PDB file of all heavy atoms in Angstrom:
ATOM      1  N   ASP A  10     -51.341   2.074 -40.867  1.00 90.00           N
ATOM      2  CA  ASP A  10     -51.722   1.222 -39.732  1.00 90.00           C
ATOM      3  C   ASP A  10     -50.508   0.736 -38.953  1.00 90.00           C
ATOM      4  O   ASP A  10     -50.430  -0.437 -38.565  1.00 90.00           O
ATOM      5  CB  ASP A  10     -52.554   0.012 -40.178  1.00 90.00           C
ATOM      6  CG  ASP A  10     -53.863   0.404 -40.817  1.00 90.00           C
ATOM      7  OD1 ASP A  10     -54.370   1.494 -40.494  1.00 90.00           O
ATOM      8  OD2 ASP A  10     -54.371  -0.368 -41.635  1.00 90.00           O
ATOM      9  N   MET A  11     -49.541   1.634 -38.744  1.00 89.00           N
ATOM     10  CA  MET A  11     -48.358   1.253 -37.985  1.00 89.00           C
ATOM     11  C   MET A  11     -47.695   2.494 -37.397  1.00 89.00           C
ATOM     12  O   MET A  11     -47.954   3.598 -37.852  1.00 89.00           O
ATOM     13  CB  MET A  11     -47.380   0.495 -38.864  1.00 89.00           C
ATOM     14  CG  MET A  11     -46.827   1.295 -40.006  1.00 89.00           C
ATOM     15  SD  MET A  11     -45.788   0.356 -41.127  1.00 89.00           S
ATOM     16  CE  MET A  11     -45.123  -0.907 -40.159  1.00 89.00           C
ATOM     17  N   PRO A  12     -46.856   2.300 -36.375  1.00 89.00           N
ATOM     18  CA  PRO A  12     -46.164   3.446 -35.770  1.00 89.00           C
ATOM     19  C   PRO A  12     -45.010   3.917 -36.667  1.00 89.00           C
ATOM     20  O   PRO A  12     -43.928   3.331 -36.673  1.00 89.00           O
ATOM     21  CB  PRO A  12     -45.642   2.893 -34.443  1.00 89.00           C
ATOM     22  CG  PRO A  12     -45.504   1.424 -34.681  1.00 89.00           C
ATOM     23  CD  PRO A  12     -46.573   1.056 -35.675  1.00 89.00           C
ATOM     24  N   VAL A  13     -45.235   4.967 -37.440  1.00 93.00           N
ATOM     25  CA  VAL A  13     -44.232   5.418 -38.397  1.00 93.00           C
ATOM     26  C   VAL A  13     -42.970   5.957 -37.714  1.00 93.00           C
ATOM     27  O   VAL A  13     -41.898   5.949 -38.313  1.00 93.00           O
ATOM     28  CB  VAL A  13     -44.811   6.473 -39.366  1.00 93.00           C
ATOM     29  CG1 VAL A  13     -45.933   5.877 -40.188  1.00 93.00           C
ATOM     30  CG2 VAL A  13     -45.275   7.710 -38.634  1.00 93.00           C
ATOM     31  N   ALA A  14     -43.080   6.375 -36.479  1.00 93.00           N
ATOM     32  CA  ALA A  14     -41.919   6.910 -35.764  1.00 93.00           C
ATOM     33  C   ALA A  14     -40.840   5.853 -35.549  1.00 93.00           C
ATOM     34  O   ALA A  14     -39.673   6.195 -35.328  1.00 93.00           O
ATOM     35  CB  ALA A  14     -42.355   7.491 -34.424  1.00 93.00           C
ATOM     36  N   ASP A  15     -41.208   4.576 -35.635  1.00 92.00           N
ATOM     37  CA  ASP A  15     -40.247   3.489 -35.428  1.00 92.00           C
ATOM     38  C   ASP A  15     -39.436   3.171 -36.682  1.00 92.00           C
ATOM     39  O   ASP A  15     -38.604   2.269 -36.662  1.00 92.00           O
ATOM     40  CB  ASP A  15     -40.977   2.216 -34.980  1.00 92.00           C
ATOM     41  CG  ASP A  15     -41.622   2.376 -33.608  1.00 92.00           C
ATOM     42  OD1 ASP A  15     -41.264   3.328 -32.890  1.00 92.00           O
ATOM     43  OD2 ASP A  15     -42.492   1.556 -33.280  1.00 92.00           O
ATOM     44  N   PHE A  16     -39.677   3.892 -37.783  1.00 95.00           N
ATOM     45  CA  PHE A  16     -39.019   3.601 -39.053  1.00 95.00           C
ATOM     46  C   PHE A  16     -38.089   4.731 -39.459  1.00 95.00           C
ATOM     47  O   PHE A  16     -38.253   5.875 -39.059  1.00 95.00           O
ATOM     48  CB  PHE A  16     -40.065   3.383 -40.158  1.00 95.00           C
ATOM     49  CG  PHE A  16     -40.750   2.074 -40.045  1.00 95.00           C
ATOM     50  CD1 PHE A  16     -41.809   1.906 -39.169  1.00 95.00           C
ATOM     51  CD2 PHE A  16     -40.343   0.995 -40.800  1.00 95.00           C
ATOM     52  CE1 PHE A  16     -42.448   0.689 -39.050  1.00 95.00           C
ATOM     53  CE2 PHE A  16     -40.981  -0.230 -40.682  1.00 95.00           C
ATOM     54  CZ  PHE A  16     -42.031  -0.385 -39.801  1.00 95.00           C
ATOM     55  N   LYS A  17     -37.108   4.356 -40.291  1.00 95.00           N
ATOM     56  CA  LYS A  17     -36.220   5.347 -40.882  1.00 95.00           C
ATOM     57  C   LYS A  17     -35.975   4.965 -42.331  1.00 95.00           C
ATOM     58  O   LYS A  17     -36.180   3.798 -42.730  1.00 95.00           O
ATOM     59  CB  LYS A  17     -34.912   5.457 -40.112  1.00 95.00           C
ATOM     60  CG  LYS A  17     -34.054   4.216 -40.115  1.00 95.00           C
ATOM     61  CD  LYS A  17     -32.823   4.407 -39.253  1.00 95.00           C
ATOM     62  CE  LYS A  17     -31.891   3.242 -39.249  1.00 95.00           C
ATOM     63  NZ  LYS A  17     -32.423   1.930 -39.215  1.00 95.00           N
ATOM     64  N   ARG A  18     -35.560   5.931 -43.130  1.00 97.00           N
ATOM     65  CA  ARG A  18     -35.254   5.642 -44.537  1.00 97.00           C
ATOM     66  C   ARG A  18     -34.159   4.579 -44.607  1.00 97.00           C
ATOM     67  O   ARG A  18     -33.229   4.587 -43.814  1.00 97.00           O
ATOM     68  CB  ARG A  18     -34.793   6.901 -45.243  1.00 97.00           C
ATOM     69  CG  ARG A  18     -35.909   7.848 -45.489  1.00 97.00           C
ATOM     70  CD  ARG A  18     -35.454   9.017 -46.310  1.00 97.00           C
ATOM     71  NE  ARG A  18     -36.615   9.837 -46.618  1.00 97.00           N
ATOM     72  CZ  ARG A  18     -36.571  11.120 -46.816  1.00 97.00           C
ATOM     73  NH1 ARG A  18     -35.424  11.761 -46.753  1.00 97.00           N
ATOM     74  NH2 ARG A  18     -37.669  11.781 -47.093  1.00 97.00           N
ATOM     75  N   GLY A  19     -34.330   3.680 -45.552  1.00 97.00           N
ATOM     76  CA  GLY A  19     -33.356   2.609 -45.733  1.00 97.00           C
ATOM     77  C   GLY A  19     -33.713   1.322 -45.021  1.00 97.00           C
ATOM     78  O   GLY A  19     -33.085   0.291 -45.266  1.00 97.00           O
ATOM     79  N   ASP A  20     -34.722   1.353 -44.138  1.00 96.00           N
ATOM     80  CA  ASP A  20     -35.140   0.114 -43.481  1.00 96.00           C
ATOM     81  C   ASP A  20     -35.611  -0.892 -44.527  1.00 96.00           C
ATOM     82  O   ASP A  20     -36.298  -0.542 -45.481  1.00 96.00           O
ATOM     83  CB  ASP A  20     -36.286   0.371 -42.490  1.00 96.00           C
ATOM     84  CG  ASP A  20     -35.817   0.969 -41.183  1.00 96.00           C
ATOM     85  OD1 ASP A  20     -34.604   0.946 -40.907  1.00 96.00           O
ATOM     86  OD2 ASP A  20     -36.677   1.470 -40.430  1.00 96.00           O
ATOM     87  N   VAL A  21     -35.228  -2.143 -44.321  1.00 96.00           N
ATOM     88  CA  VAL A  21     -35.609  -3.219 -45.239  1.00 96.00           C
ATOM     89  C   VAL A  21     -36.863  -3.900 -44.700  1.00 96.00           C
ATOM     90  O   VAL A  21     -36.955  -4.197 -43.508  1.00 96.00           O
ATOM     91  CB  VAL A  21     -34.452  -4.231 -45.392  1.00 96.00           C
ATOM     92  CG1 VAL A  21     -34.870  -5.415 -46.253  1.00 96.00           C
ATOM     93  CG2 VAL A  21     -33.228  -3.547 -45.975  1.00 96.00           C
ATOM     94  N   VAL A  22     -37.806  -4.158 -45.600  1.00 95.00           N
ATOM     95  CA  VAL A  22     -39.082  -4.772 -45.221  1.00 95.00           C
ATOM     96  C   VAL A  22     -39.417  -5.886 -46.209  1.00 95.00           C
ATOM     97  O   VAL A  22     -38.807  -5.983 -47.280  1.00 95.00           O
ATOM     98  CB  VAL A  22     -40.218  -3.721 -45.208  1.00 95.00           C
ATOM     99  CG1 VAL A  22     -39.937  -2.627 -44.204  1.00 95.00           C
ATOM    100  CG2 VAL A  22     -40.430  -3.136 -46.588  1.00 95.00           C
ATOM    101  N   VAL A  23     -40.389  -6.715 -45.836  1.00 92.00           N
ATOM    102  CA  VAL A  23     -40.928  -7.725 -46.747  1.00 92.00           C
ATOM    103  C   VAL A  23     -42.440  -7.563 -46.791  1.00 92.00           C
ATOM    104  O   VAL A  23     -43.053  -7.038 -45.862  1.00 92.00           O
ATOM    105  CB  VAL A  23     -40.566  -9.179 -46.326  1.00 92.00           C
ATOM    106  CG1 VAL A  23     -39.081  -9.403 -46.420  1.00 92.00           C
ATOM    107  CG2 VAL A  23     -41.077  -9.491 -44.948  1.00 92.00           C
ATOM    108  N   PHE A  24     -43.025  -8.020 -47.869  1.00 92.00           N
ATOM    109  CA  PHE A  24     -44.475  -7.972 -48.033  1.00 92.00           C
ATOM    110  C   PHE A  24     -45.021  -9.379 -47.965  1.00 92.00           C
ATOM    111  O   PHE A  24     -44.435 -10.315 -48.508  1.00 92.00           O
ATOM    112  CB  PHE A  24     -44.847  -7.307 -49.357  1.00 92.00           C
ATOM    113  CG  PHE A  24     -44.430  -5.867 -49.410  1.00 92.00           C
ATOM    114  CD1 PHE A  24     -43.236  -5.501 -49.983  1.00 92.00           C
ATOM    115  CD2 PHE A  24     -45.227  -4.887 -48.849  1.00 92.00           C
ATOM    116  CE1 PHE A  24     -42.828  -4.179 -50.015  1.00 92.00           C
ATOM    117  CE2 PHE A  24     -44.828  -3.568 -48.864  1.00 92.00           C
ATOM    118  CZ  PHE A  24     -43.631  -3.204 -49.453  1.00 92.00           C
ATOM    119  N   VAL A  25     -46.150  -9.528 -47.299  1.00 87.00           N
ATOM    120  CA  VAL A  25     -46.777 -10.833 -47.101  1.00 87.00           C
ATOM    121  C   VAL A  25     -48.221 -10.726 -47.574  1.00 87.00           C
ATOM    122  O   VAL A  25     -48.933  -9.785 -47.216  1.00 87.00           O
ATOM    123  CB  VAL A  25     -46.725 -11.253 -45.609  1.00 87.00           C
ATOM    124  CG1 VAL A  25     -47.381 -12.603 -45.413  1.00 87.00           C
ATOM    125  CG2 VAL A  25     -45.295 -11.265 -45.103  1.00 87.00           C
ATOM    126  N   SER A  26     -48.644 -11.701 -48.373  1.00 82.00           N
ATOM    127  CA  SER A  26     -50.015 -11.703 -48.888  1.00 82.00           C
ATOM    128  C   SER A  26     -50.936 -12.482 -47.963  1.00 82.00           C
ATOM    129  O   SER A  26     -50.506 -13.020 -46.942  1.00 82.00           O
ATOM    130  CB  SER A  26     -50.034 -12.299 -50.292  1.00 82.00           C
ATOM    131  OG  SER A  26     -49.683 -13.652 -50.240  1.00 82.00           O
ATOM    132  N   ALA A  27     -52.194 -12.582 -48.348  1.00 71.00           N
ATOM    133  CA  ALA A  27     -53.215 -13.234 -47.524  1.00 71.00           C
ATOM    134  C   ALA A  27     -52.877 -14.684 -47.213  1.00 71.00           C
ATOM    135  O   ALA A  27     -53.213 -15.183 -46.160  1.00 71.00           O
ATOM    136  CB  ALA A  27     -54.580 -13.154 -48.208  1.00 71.00           C
ATOM    137  N   GLY A  28     -52.196 -15.379 -48.111  1.00 67.00           N
ATOM    138  CA  GLY A  28     -51.840 -16.777 -47.884  1.00 67.00           C
ATOM    139  C   GLY A  28     -50.547 -16.926 -47.110  1.00 67.00           C
ATOM    140  O   GLY A  28     -49.950 -17.984 -47.127  1.00 67.00           O
ATOM    141  N   ASP A  29     -50.091 -15.875 -46.441  1.00 55.00           N
ATOM    142  CA  ASP A  29     -48.830 -15.865 -45.694  1.00 55.00           C
ATOM    143  C   ASP A  29     -47.660 -16.175 -46.630  1.00 55.00           C
ATOM    144  O   ASP A  29     -46.698 -16.799 -46.261  1.00 55.00           O
ATOM    145  CB  ASP A  29     -48.875 -16.850 -44.523  1.00 55.00           C
ATOM    146  CG  ASP A  29     -47.751 -16.598 -43.513  1.00 55.00           C
ATOM    147  OD1 ASP A  29     -47.250 -15.460 -43.449  1.00 55.00           O
ATOM    148  OD2 ASP A  29     -47.362 -17.540 -42.810  1.00 55.00           O
ATOM    149  N   GLU A  30     -47.801 -15.739 -47.875  1.00 64.00           N
ATOM    150  CA  GLU A  30     -46.746 -15.931 -48.860  1.00 64.00           C
ATOM    151  C   GLU A  30     -45.976 -14.625 -48.997  1.00 64.00           C
ATOM    152  O   GLU A  30     -46.558 -13.556 -48.980  1.00 64.00           O
ATOM    153  CB  GLU A  30     -47.350 -16.302 -50.214  1.00 64.00           C
ATOM    154  CG  GLU A  30     -48.169 -17.565 -50.179  1.00 64.00           C
ATOM    155  CD  GLU A  30     -48.997 -17.731 -51.442  1.00 64.00           C
ATOM    156  OE1 GLU A  30     -48.961 -16.857 -52.313  1.00 64.00           O
ATOM    157  OE2 GLU A  30     -49.679 -18.748 -51.531  1.00 64.00           O
ATOM    158  N   HIS A  31     -44.675 -14.727 -49.164  1.00 65.00           N
ATOM    159  CA  HIS A  31     -43.878 -13.530 -49.365  1.00 65.00           C
ATOM    160  C   HIS A  31     -44.041 -13.059 -50.800  1.00 65.00           C
ATOM    161  O   HIS A  31     -43.882 -13.836 -51.726  1.00 65.00           O
ATOM    162  CB  HIS A  31     -42.398 -13.804 -49.063  1.00 65.00           C
ATOM    163  CG  HIS A  31     -42.151 -14.078 -47.618  1.00 65.00           C
ATOM    164  ND1 HIS A  31     -41.981 -13.074 -46.706  1.00 65.00           N
ATOM    165  CD2 HIS A  31     -42.099 -15.224 -46.927  1.00 65.00           C
ATOM    166  CE1 HIS A  31     -41.807 -13.605 -45.505  1.00 65.00           C
ATOM    167  NE2 HIS A  31     -41.882 -14.922 -45.614  1.00 65.00           N
ATOM    168  N   SER A  32     -44.398 -11.799 -50.960  1.00 79.00           N
ATOM    169  CA  SER A  32     -44.515 -11.251 -52.304  1.00 79.00           C
ATOM    170  C   SER A  32     -43.138 -10.846 -52.789  1.00 79.00           C
ATOM    171  O   SER A  32     -42.631 -11.385 -53.752  1.00 79.00           O
ATOM    172  CB  SER A  32     -45.413 -10.030 -52.358  1.00 79.00           C
ATOM    173  OG  SER A  32     -46.492 -10.133 -51.520  1.00 79.00           O
ATOM    174  N   THR A  33     -42.546  -9.902 -52.123  1.00 90.00           N
ATOM    175  CA  THR A  33     -41.224  -9.401 -52.463  1.00 90.00           C
ATOM    176  C   THR A  33     -40.740  -8.557 -51.297  1.00 90.00           C
ATOM    177  O   THR A  33     -41.452  -8.406 -50.306  1.00 90.00           O
ATOM    178  CB  THR A  33     -41.259  -8.607 -53.791  1.00 90.00           C
ATOM    179  OG1 THR A  33     -39.932  -8.271 -54.170  1.00 90.00           O
ATOM    180  CG2 THR A  33     -42.080  -7.347 -53.677  1.00 90.00           C
ATOM    181  N   GLY A  34     -39.579  -8.010 -51.406  1.00 93.00           N
ATOM    182  CA  GLY A  34     -39.048  -7.137 -50.359  1.00 93.00           C
ATOM    183  C   GLY A  34     -39.029  -5.702 -50.833  1.00 93.00           C
ATOM    184  O   GLY A  34     -39.400  -5.398 -51.963  1.00 93.00           O
ATOM    185  N   GLY A  35     -38.571  -4.811 -49.954  1.00 96.00           N
ATOM    186  CA  GLY A  35     -38.502  -3.413 -50.325  1.00 96.00           C
ATOM    187  C   GLY A  35     -37.685  -2.614 -49.331  1.00 96.00           C
ATOM    188  O   GLY A  35     -37.185  -3.153 -48.336  1.00 96.00           O
ATOM    189  N   GLU A  36     -37.582  -1.324 -49.613  1.00 97.00           N
ATOM    190  CA  GLU A  36     -36.806  -0.412 -48.776  1.00 97.00           C
ATOM    191  C   GLU A  36     -37.616   0.858 -48.544  1.00 97.00           C
ATOM    192  O   GLU A  36     -38.199   1.420 -49.477  1.00 97.00           O
ATOM    193  CB  GLU A  36     -35.498  -0.074 -49.496  1.00 97.00           C
ATOM    194  CG  GLU A  36     -34.598   0.846 -48.717  1.00 97.00           C
ATOM    195  CD  GLU A  36     -33.299   1.114 -49.462  1.00 97.00           C
ATOM    196  OE1 GLU A  36     -32.827   0.235 -50.200  1.00 97.00           O
ATOM    197  OE2 GLU A  36     -32.769   2.218 -49.300  1.00 97.00           O
ATOM    198  N   VAL A  37     -37.634   1.318 -47.298  1.00 97.00           N
ATOM    199  CA  VAL A  37     -38.348   2.541 -46.945  1.00 97.00           C
ATOM    200  C   VAL A  37     -37.647   3.720 -47.621  1.00 97.00           C
ATOM    201  O   VAL A  37     -36.438   3.893 -47.485  1.00 97.00           O
ATOM    202  CB  VAL A  37     -38.386   2.738 -45.412  1.00 97.00           C
ATOM    203  CG1 VAL A  37     -39.014   4.087 -45.055  1.00 97.00           C
ATOM    204  CG2 VAL A  37     -39.145   1.595 -44.742  1.00 97.00           C
ATOM    205  N   VAL A  38     -38.415   4.525 -48.382  1.00 98.00           N
ATOM    206  CA  VAL A  38     -37.838   5.677 -49.070  1.00 98.00           C
ATOM    207  C   VAL A  38     -38.381   7.003 -48.562  1.00 98.00           C
ATOM    208  O   VAL A  38     -37.790   8.052 -48.814  1.00 98.00           O
ATOM    209  CB  VAL A  38     -38.027   5.587 -50.604  1.00 98.00           C
ATOM    210  CG1 VAL A  38     -37.247   4.424 -51.174  1.00 98.00           C
ATOM    211  CG2 VAL A  38     -39.485   5.506 -50.985  1.00 98.00           C
ATOM    212  N   ASP A  39     -39.505   6.973 -47.836  1.00 97.00           N
ATOM    213  CA  ASP A  39     -40.071   8.214 -47.316  1.00 97.00           C
ATOM    214  C   ASP A  39     -40.969   7.900 -46.128  1.00 97.00           C
ATOM    215  O   ASP A  39     -41.598   6.837 -46.074  1.00 97.00           O
ATOM    216  CB  ASP A  39     -40.878   8.937 -48.394  1.00 97.00           C
ATOM    217  CG  ASP A  39     -41.203  10.380 -48.020  1.00 97.00           C
ATOM    218  OD1 ASP A  39     -40.487  10.968 -47.178  1.00 97.00           O
ATOM    219  OD2 ASP A  39     -42.172  10.930 -48.582  1.00 97.00           O
ATOM    220  N   ILE A  40     -41.004   8.824 -45.191  1.00 97.00           N
ATOM    221  CA  ILE A  40     -41.843   8.663 -44.003  1.00 97.00           C
ATOM    222  C   ILE A  40     -42.676   9.928 -43.858  1.00 97.00           C
ATOM    223  O   ILE A  40     -42.136  11.039 -43.828  1.00 97.00           O
ATOM    224  CB  ILE A  40     -40.978   8.431 -42.753  1.00 97.00           C
ATOM    225  CG1 ILE A  40     -40.117   7.174 -42.959  1.00 97.00           C
ATOM    226  CG2 ILE A  40     -41.854   8.303 -41.507  1.00 97.00           C
ATOM    227  CD1 ILE A  40     -39.002   7.029 -41.958  1.00 97.00           C
ATOM    228  N   ARG A  41     -43.969   9.763 -43.783  1.00 95.00           N
ATOM    229  CA  ARG A  41     -44.902  10.880 -43.634  1.00 95.00           C
ATOM    230  C   ARG A  41     -45.539  10.813 -42.257  1.00 95.00           C
ATOM    231  O   ARG A  41     -45.216   9.953 -41.449  1.00 95.00           O
ATOM    232  CB  ARG A  41     -45.991  10.809 -44.718  1.00 95.00           C
ATOM    233  CG  ARG A  41     -45.477  10.784 -46.127  1.00 95.00           C
ATOM    234  CD  ARG A  41     -45.214  12.163 -46.605  1.00 95.00           C
ATOM    235  NE  ARG A  41     -44.559  12.136 -47.914  1.00 95.00           N
ATOM    236  CZ  ARG A  41     -44.768  13.028 -48.821  1.00 95.00           C
ATOM    237  NH1 ARG A  41     -45.613  14.004 -48.590  1.00 95.00           N
ATOM    238  NH2 ARG A  41     -44.117  12.964 -49.959  1.00 95.00           N
ATOM    239  N   LYS A  42     -46.490  11.681 -42.040  1.00 93.00           N
ATOM    240  CA  LYS A  42     -47.170  11.769 -40.748  1.00 93.00           C
ATOM    241  C   LYS A  42     -47.789  10.437 -40.311  1.00 93.00           C
ATOM    242  O   LYS A  42     -47.644  10.028 -39.163  1.00 93.00           O
ATOM    243  CB  LYS A  42     -48.248  12.854 -40.840  1.00 93.00           C
ATOM    244  CG  LYS A  42     -49.036  13.063 -39.604  1.00 93.00           C
ATOM    245  CD  LYS A  42     -50.042  14.180 -39.828  1.00 93.00           C
ATOM    246  CE  LYS A  42     -51.181  14.052 -38.872  1.00 93.00           C
ATOM    247  NZ  LYS A  42     -52.232  15.025 -39.129  1.00 93.00           N
ATOM    248  N   ASP A  43     -48.472   9.771 -41.242  1.00 94.00           N
ATOM    249  CA  ASP A  43     -49.132   8.513 -40.873  1.00 94.00           C
ATOM    250  C   ASP A  43     -48.938   7.391 -41.886  1.00 94.00           C
ATOM    251  O   ASP A  43     -49.611   6.372 -41.833  1.00 94.00           O
ATOM    252  CB  ASP A  43     -50.621   8.745 -40.624  1.00 94.00           C
ATOM    253  CG  ASP A  43     -51.327   9.358 -41.826  1.00 94.00           C
ATOM    254  OD1 ASP A  43     -50.652   9.683 -42.823  1.00 94.00           O
ATOM    255  OD2 ASP A  43     -52.561   9.518 -41.770  1.00 94.00           O
ATOM    256  N   THR A  44     -48.028   7.597 -42.850  1.00 96.00           N
ATOM    257  CA  THR A  44     -47.744   6.545 -43.830  1.00 96.00           C
ATOM    258  C   THR A  44     -46.242   6.447 -44.102  1.00 96.00           C
ATOM    259  O   THR A  44     -45.496   7.386 -43.861  1.00 96.00           O
ATOM    260  CB  THR A  44     -48.442   6.795 -45.185  1.00 96.00           C
ATOM    261  OG1 THR A  44     -47.996   8.036 -45.722  1.00 96.00           O
ATOM    262  CG2 THR A  44     -49.952   6.764 -45.059  1.00 96.00           C
TER     263      THR A  44
END
């Protein structure tokens, strides 16, 4: 559900849960057609 073309490997991201709480962070390791 996002424009994958705007991402590259190594991009740093954070995860947010339903309560607008940060779960943890992560790093992009692979980019596919739509995920």
Side-chain angles (χ1 to χ4, degrees):
D10 298 334
M11 63 185 332
V13 297
D15 294 344
F16 286 82
K17 64 184 182 320
R18 287 186 175 151
D20 282 346
V21 175
V22 299
V23 295
F24 296 95
V25 180
S26 66
D29 196 24
E30 300 167 358
H31 293 276
S32 323
T33 187
E36 181 178 329
V37 174
V38 294
D39 194 23
I40 301 166
R41 304 276 173 146
K42 180 179 157 185
D43 57 355
T44 60

